[in-house]
Amino acid sequence: MNLTLYPLGDYIQLLQKHSLLTNFSGAPLTREVSLVSCDSRQVVPGTLFICKGAHFKVEFLQSAMEQGAFAYIAEKPYEGVDLPCLQVTNVRLTMALLADFYYNHPSGKLSVVGITGTKGKSSTTYYLKYIFDEYLAAKKQKPSGVVGGIETYDGVERFEAHLTTPEPLDLERHFANGVSTDMRYLTMEVSSQALKYDRVLNVEFAAAVFLNIGTDHISPIEHPDFEDYFSSKLRIFAQAAAACVNLDSDHADRVLEAARKSCSRMITFSTKDPSATIYGSQIRKVGGDILFKVKTPRYSREFRLTMPGLFNVQNALAALAVCEALGIPEQYAFAGLMKARVPGRMEIYSNADEKVSVIVDYAHNKLSFETLFQSVKEEYPGRRVVTIFGCPGYKAYDRRKDLGEISGKYSDLVILTEEDPGEEPVENICKDIAQYVEKEGCDYTIVPDRGEAIRQAVLGSQEPTIILLTGKGAETRQKRGIEYIDCPSDVEYAKQFLHEYDVLHGMDGMSKVRALLDVLPLLRRYEGRTMVIKYGGSALDASSTDTILEDAAALQSVGVRVILVHGGGKEISALLDRMGVETKFENGYRVTDQAVLDGAEMALSARVNKSIVGALDRIGAKACGVSGRDGGLITARQKEEKLGLVGAITKVDPRLLTTLLDAGYLPVVSPIARSEDGAALNCNADDAARAVAEAVGADKLVFLTDTDGILVDSHNQSTRIAKMDVARAKELIDSGLIAGGMIPKTMNCIHAVEHGVGSVTVLDGRMEHAVLLESISEKSLGTTMEKKR
């Protein structure tokens, strides 16, 4: 980044202006400050070093001096360090002022949205990020930034976070990174600690959101009482242009009063008060989605959330309030909320028969716990409930009582475990919580090792069980002592032990594949049926290539009539490159003149096709390679004149394929078609597979791709839609929930099912034995579409 650097004298004047400086004798006033830092590992020559923190040691200052620091700031001078000391009365306030000054006040060049509240900050932050990114993508601008307790992304850096709001020097660096990369919006979580101790001092908020207030973070090292906690949160409005306030929050009148004193614009939101600027109503579940009506000054329409948890409507309304304040058009808010996902927030994982389900969530305080249990009670009635959680060390002592009582009231079993214990022994924390669980008459156990606690909960489930795994979400570090130690996330633990549960109970698909002889009886149910597999792209390039062909051979061996239709775009590009033929693309299609077509036909029909046939032959399959031109198998017309010799399929004559299948062969088809005048045309392999499946009346069509199925958000594998019928698929496309590159995949599925194919499955072809696993697994893999029964 390009920063304007200032001499030390300017920093001294700033501190004098705020009456913070008590002594600066010997300071070289004209020397330029190249960096302001409190981390001795980052010091460069010309650094102004800040001594701060309860764990600060003089060795850190000595190291900074050796690396080139020329002066330091501290609340007291350190003996034996031959550097000028700028002695201040409040090092926290000093650091915030200097961070903003050094980075040239970057928040003034961004639209920064600050979100505070006892619960919901992370979800609202990500809802806004999805909305902003939809809006920015339409304008061909770079994605928005996010700074919070889950993740930080500032256009330059992306990493897992461990502080809700970073220290000032880090925070201002993130803003400056955003400015340097032309970032337009950045959404951040603002904690009560950050507001109390001036971490966000001088940050300009385009909008400040107040979600709710409850009792939390009350401890000797955080807030001594609720009043201190509440008043700290209200400080956010002093730095905001617009205030977005939840009228449904406790103490809403006091929040509104604080906002009106400082903010030039007020946006309110509510699910109870129709007079709110943003009013949500008619909240209901439809299938796995949450629908709700929204009325604003600009529009009235229905919105859809595809992330579970009815309580998320409040967070969505908060995001819409910000959109109202910043003028974000409604279509981007609609699309963003539909696609939105929050890592580690209400993520649901189940074993093969869904007897055991694990909800991974960041819930960690009274409000979020109460909301989570209410949602689970409504959505999973009658299920045994096991709750796994802990509390951080030496802080938020009231939380231990609150969470112990709530979990004890609603759970059948509570397992207490590690959750960022810091310098307090895990067993001591768990015993403190246990007394409140026990008072509610609930069984509990203490298992300090978090992984072992999760394992015991999953493997110990003998009846339908919902396991609430709270507090850590997708985090991959535990705070032990003063350090953050790498560890598996709750998501990783949940998947690992649910898989182990399935293995122990004989429901593990992979173990069945590895013991093929045991699986053959399961596969024989497909005997006599016809399956078309589109094989290509990433599936063709992946290390799982041989296992896909093994799957096809295994299916053929039990009497399944298998047809492989392959692509080979990379092979075409490589061959054309060697031939010196230039390749151009238009709307995803390869512009094809005669030279390109000759190369494509050579790559597909000669090289790729024969390579697949040879591989099948080596594993004992009886295969025969054919081109779409052979026997008039595939006929096409020119798709568009500007694309050249690219074909749109008009007809498939299945007689050649039927003859081969009846003779026990596995046809391998390359997508080179015959034009009406007998010439060749290059066709899309997906289109060819779909047309072939329709022509032979296939019972099943499998598209092997490089995704986990059809996704709501193509960048987020957790948004996979497991099953749907044609009507649901069309609804998702019309509503914008399925968009971009997912639309052609979905349209091919719809066309196939509407034209006689029994079912269509979109699978990740990079997965080992993907086809066999999908055929025998009791759990849905990828996305399957079939007619509504």
Side-chain angles (χ1 to χ4, degrees):
M1 67 184 76
N2 294 319
L3 296 176
T4 301
L5 300 180
Y6 297 97
L8 182 61
D10 288 5
Y11 288 83
I12 289 174
Q13 286 181 355
L14 178 63
L15 296 178
Q16 288 175 326
K17 177 182 176 182
H18 289 270
S19 303
L20 289 166
L21 195 61
T22 61
N23 184 29
F24 59 97
S25 59
L29 303 183
T30 59
R31 182 161 181 182
E32 187 175 83
V33 175
S34 60
L35 178 67
V36 177
S37 178
C38 61
D39 187 342
S40 60
R41 296 165 297 183
Q42 297 176 354
V43 168
V44 297
T47 294
L48 174 58
F49 187 73
I50 300 177
C51 305
K52 68 96 184 175
H55 297 283
F56 184 80
K57 300 176 183 178
V58 70
E59 289 86 352
F60 300 156
L61 177 55
Q62 291 169 336
S63 174
M65 179 177 65
E66 292 168 2
Q67 298 298 320
F70 73 96
Y72 70 95
I73 292 173
E75 292 182 359
K76 63 176 183 179
Y78 286 90
E79 295 182 4
V81 179
D82 188 21
L83 283 180
C85 173
L86 279 61
Q87 190 172 352
V88 297
T89 56
N90 185 330
V91 77
R92 287 180 180 271
L93 181 58
T94 295
M95 183 164 61
L97 289 169
L98 297 195
D100 180 66
F101 183 69
Y102 171 75
Y103 285 106
N104 304 162
H105 188 56
S107 64
K109 305 176 184 72
L110 288 167
S111 288
V112 179
V113 177
I115 302 170
T116 197
T118 302
K119 73 177 182 70
K121 294 188 293 295
S122 297
S123 295
T124 307
T125 295
Y126 276 89
Y127 284 179
L128 277 168
K129 176 164 175 57
Y130 272 85
I131 292 170
F132 287 154
D133 288 354
E134 286 288 320
Y135 180 51
L136 294 166
K139 293 181 169 294
K140 301 189 184 309
Q141 296 177 3
K142 295 180 179 180
S144 65
V146 60
V147 174
I150 297 176
E151 177 190 28
T152 291
Y153 171 68
D154 63 11
V156 176
E157 303 175 52
R158 185 191 295 275
F159 56 86
E160 178 184 308
H162 63 265
L163 273 180
T164 301
T165 310
E167 293 288 353
L169 286 166
D170 294 323
L171 180 62
E172 297 290 350
R173 184 184 77 252
H174 296 317
F175 292 155
N177 282 341
V179 171
S180 72
T181 56
D182 298 321
M183 184 175 281
R184 185 169 174 184
Y185 299 102
L186 186 145
T187 308
M188 65 175 293
E189 299 180 46
V190 185
S191 68
S192 59
Q193 292 285 288
L195 289 159
K196 178 177 180 176
Y197 293 114
D198 299 311
R199 285 188 214 157
V200 292
L201 186 72
N202 280 3
V203 174
E204 287 187 37
F205 293 115
V209 181
F210 196 101
L211 294 169
N212 43 61
I213 188 71
T215 55
D216 197 28
H217 296 287
I218 311 301
S219 75
I221 63 171
E222 296 174 288
H223 300 281
D225 50 38
F226 176 76
E227 175 58 32
D228 188 72
Y229 175 56
F230 191 14
S231 59
S232 294
K233 282 193 171 294
L234 293 177
R235 290 179 62 181
I236 193 172
F237 295 121
Q239 298 167 224
C244 301
V245 177
N246 182 8
L247 295 182
D248 302 340
S249 170
D250 289 344
H251 309 287
D253 290 345
R254 185 173 169 188
V255 179
L256 289 169
E257 181 184 0
R260 290 191 182 105
K261 285 180 179 178
S262 302
C263 300
S264 59
R265 189 175 182 197
M266 174 80 72
I267 309 290
T268 59
F269 58 96
S270 173
T271 60
K272 299 175 182 178
D273 187 346
S275 69
T277 317
I278 311 295
Y279 175 58
S281 62
Q282 301 177 38
I283 303 166
R284 63 204 185 278
K285 285 196 68 174
V286 177
D289 298 347
I290 298 169
L291 274 62
F292 57 104
K293 187 75 175 291
V294 176
K295 177 184 69 67
T296 82
R298 294 187 296 164
Y299 57 83
S300 179
R301 70 171 298 167
E302 188 168 75
F303 280 80
R304 180 189 297 264
L305 295 176
T306 58
M307 182 177 159
L310 292 170
F311 54 83
N312 278 313
V313 172
Q314 285 277 2
N315 302 322
L317 294 178
L320 294 176
V322 173
C323 292
E324 188 69 20
L326 301 185
I328 304 296
E330 67 174 284
Q331 65 266 35
Y332 304 113
F334 179 75
L337 287 178
M338 282 198 301
K339 293 181 179 181
R341 289 293 187 279
V342 183
R345 176 69 74 192
M346 285 300 290
E347 293 192 26
I348 303 175
Y349 302 93
S350 301
N351 78 304
D353 64 358
E354 298 188 350
K355 182 177 180 180
V356 182
S357 294
V358 180
I359 295 179
V360 177
D361 193 75
Y362 279 106
H364 64 279
N365 57 40
K366 182 178 181 180
L367 269 179
S368 57
F369 250 51
E370 288 176 336
T371 304
L372 176 61
F373 277 107
Q374 288 168 4
S375 179
V376 168
K377 184 178 179 180
E378 182 175 345
E379 298 184 40
Y380 296 91
R383 284 257 187 154
R384 173 177 175 260
V385 176
V386 177
T387 307
I388 306 170
F389 71 99
C391 284
Y394 293 129
K395 61 196 309 187
Y397 292 126
D398 284 357
R399 188 185 297 176
R400 302 180 186 186
K401 178 178 182 292
D402 294 337
L403 304 195
E405 290 177 345
I406 295 168
S407 62
K409 180 179 179 181
Y410 292 105
S411 306
D412 296 286
L413 172 66
V414 171
I415 303 179
L416 301 171
T417 189
E418 177 183 37
E419 191 170 309
D420 294 322
E423 297 177 86
E424 186 176 0
V426 177
E427 292 84 352
N428 291 0
I429 299 171
C430 293
K431 288 176 182 176
D432 199 5
I433 303 169
Q435 61 181 312
Y436 303 109
V437 177
E438 191 172 25
K439 284 181 181 178
E440 296 296 326
C442 180
D443 288 339
Y444 75 89
T445 185
I446 295 174
V447 183
D449 183 281
R450 193 172 181 93
E452 180 59 24
I454 299 166
R455 182 177 183 276
Q456 288 185 19
V458 173
L459 300 188
S461 298
Q462 302 299 322
E463 58 188 279
T465 299
I466 188 78
I467 298 171
L468 305 183
L469 182 49
T470 72
K472 294 295 289 179
E475 292 178 13
T476 60
R477 289 178 290 180
Q478 283 276 4
K479 187 177 183 183
R480 296 171 184 159
I482 63 173
E483 296 182 345
Y484 285 86
I485 307 301
D486 291 341
C487 63
S489 70
D490 283 355
V491 171
E492 292 172 299
Y493 277 135
K495 290 180 177 179
Q496 175 186 342
F497 297 128
L498 286 168
H499 175 74
E500 187 174 334
Y501 180 96
D502 285 340
V503 172
L504 290 174
H505 292 81
M507 290 181 283
D508 171 49
M510 184 60 73
S511 66
K512 293 174 183 174
V513 170
R514 289 170 180 156
L516 187 57
L517 290 176
D518 294 335
V519 178
L520 288 178
L522 293 172
L523 294 178
R524 290 201 183 279
R525 60 186 174 180
Y526 296 102
E527 185 175 2
R529 298 185 184 182
T530 301
M531 181 184 296
V532 176
I533 302 172
K534 186 269 174 175
Y535 176 58
S538 295
L540 194 59
D541 301 327
S543 60
S544 60
T545 296
D546 289 343
T547 72
I548 298 298
L549 299 184
E550 287 171 0
D551 291 355
L555 289 165
Q556 185 194 42
S557 72
V558 296
V560 181
R561 294 159 66 89
V562 180
I563 301 170
L564 277 179
V565 180
H566 67 83
K570 290 186 178 179
E571 288 78 6
I572 296 172
S573 296
L575 180 60
L576 292 175
D577 187 55
R578 290 195 295 272
M579 294 168 61
V581 177
E582 185 180 0
T583 299
K584 296 180 180 178
F585 287 87
E586 184 80 30
N587 296 326
Y589 287 92
R590 189 187 303 271
V591 178
T592 305
D593 58 16
Q594 190 60 52
V596 172
L597 180 63
D598 290 343
E601 187 165 17
M602 184 184 301
L604 292 174
S605 297
R607 299 193 177 189
V608 176
N609 190 278
K610 301 312 175 189
S611 174
I612 294 172
V613 171
L616 286 166
D617 181 66
R618 286 191 294 275
I619 57 177
K622 190 177 176 182
C624 179
V626 296
S627 163
R629 298 180 70 185
D630 296 340
L633 172 58
I634 301 176
T635 302
R637 58 172 171 77
Q638 189 173 354
K639 190 175 184 69
E640 295 180 33
E641 186 174 346
K642 65 181 179 180
L643 297 177
L645 303 176
V646 173
I649 297 171
T650 56
K651 179 184 176 183
V652 173
D653 184 343
R655 289 178 294 174
L656 174 59
L657 296 177
T658 301
T659 299
L660 290 170
L661 290 169
D662 289 344
Y665 285 94
L666 191 162
V668 179
V669 182
S670 72
I672 298 294
R674 178 186 181 277
S675 68
E676 298 290 349
D677 59 4
L681 289 172
N682 184 19
C683 293
N684 177 272
D686 279 4
D687 294 345
R690 185 260 307 157
V692 165
E694 293 171 1
V696 299
D699 298 281
K700 186 168 190 171
L701 168 61
V702 178
F703 287 112
L704 296 173
T705 70
D706 58 356
T707 68
D708 211 11
I710 294 175
L711 310 177
V712 171
D713 179 359
S714 61
H715 302 294
N716 189 340
Q717 297 295 314
S718 69
T719 63
R720 173 177 67 94
I721 303 170
K723 291 183 179 181
M724 57 181 165
D725 57 28
V726 168
R728 175 62 169 156
K730 290 180 177 179
E731 177 192 346
L732 293 173
I733 292 174
D734 291 343
S735 67
L737 188 55
I738 294 176
M742 287 294 166
I743 291 180
K745 289 183 176 66
T746 310
M747 292 303 297
N748 260 325
C749 295
I750 291 172
H751 195 283
V753 171
E754 288 185 331
H755 289 78
V757 177
S759 67
V760 186
T761 298
V762 180
L763 280 178
D764 187 345
R766 301 164 300 178
M767 180 172 60
E768 187 180 358
H769 289 296
V771 176
L772 274 182
L773 273 172
E774 197 279 331
S775 299
I776 65 174
S777 178
E778 297 180 44
K779 186 176 181 180
S780 174
L781 304 177
T783 298
T784 296
M785 184 187 297
E786 54 190 9
K787 285 187 177 179
K788 191 170 185 178
R789 296 180 180 178

